[in-house]
Amino acid sequence: MYNLIEIEPSSVEEASKQQVWKDAMDEEHQSIIKNDVWDIVPRLEGKLVVSSKWLYKIKHAADVSIEKFNARFVVRGFSQKEGIDYEETFSLVARYTSIGTIIAIAATKGCKLH
């Protein structure tokens, strides 16, 4: 379908010229909407707006064919300063060691996991 010569775009303008990247960006946008990732809020006086950008990556299968065109919309949070632009952060990420610990405790207590 695609060959290995495909090049990942470095800007939205480049990506917008190819339907596969438009589709990848649309898929990412739909995922953001579906998962209710963020809320649009009014800009507070004296606060900076955090910029964002699109990142593009071609995922290859084991046989080096193109498996997927992946687009990610990311926030450039490095411009924020704790206590000035934000007070707290939260990222729902489970570590494998935590999951393993929970499974081990459940097993020793005879609990069922769902």
Side-chain angles (χ1 to χ4, degrees):
M1 181 174 182
Y2 304 103
N3 57 30
L4 195 56
I5 300 173
E6 293 285 339
I7 297 173
E8 296 161 355
S10 59
S11 68
V12 173
E13 293 76 23
E14 281 181 38
S16 297
K17 294 177 184 175
Q18 297 181 40
Q19 189 61 44
V20 291
W21 292 114
K22 288 182 190 178
D23 294 343
M25 288 189 290
D26 185 52
E27 183 180 334
E28 173 73 355
H29 178 255
Q30 292 303 319
S31 175
I32 288 169
I33 299 300
K34 176 184 164 205
N35 294 310
D36 197 22
V37 173
W38 61 35
D39 295 317
I40 296 175
V41 296
R43 179 180 177 178
L44 298 174
E45 190 174 325
K47 300 293 181 181
L48 297 174
V49 174
V50 179
S51 61
S52 57
K53 70 182 281 182
W54 284 96
L55 298 176
Y56 306 96
K57 185 74 177 161
I58 298 173
K59 302 287 183 169
H60 294 280
D63 65 356
V64 301
S65 65
I66 292 177
E67 184 176 323
K68 183 178 181 180
F69 291 88
N70 199 14
R72 287 287 173 256
F73 189 68
V74 297
V75 178
R76 301 172 72 196
F78 57 81
S79 63
Q80 293 181 301
K81 295 192 179 1
E82 185 176 5
I84 297 172
D85 298 311
Y86 67 93
E87 299 298 325
E88 60 185 69
T89 61
F90 176 76
S91 179
L92 184 59
V93 178
R95 295 178 185 224
Y96 288 115
T97 54
S98 299
I99 294 169
T101 303
I102 290 169
I103 292 171
I105 292 170
T108 59
K109 302 272 186 192
C111 298
K112 292 182 180 180
L113 295 175
H114 300 274

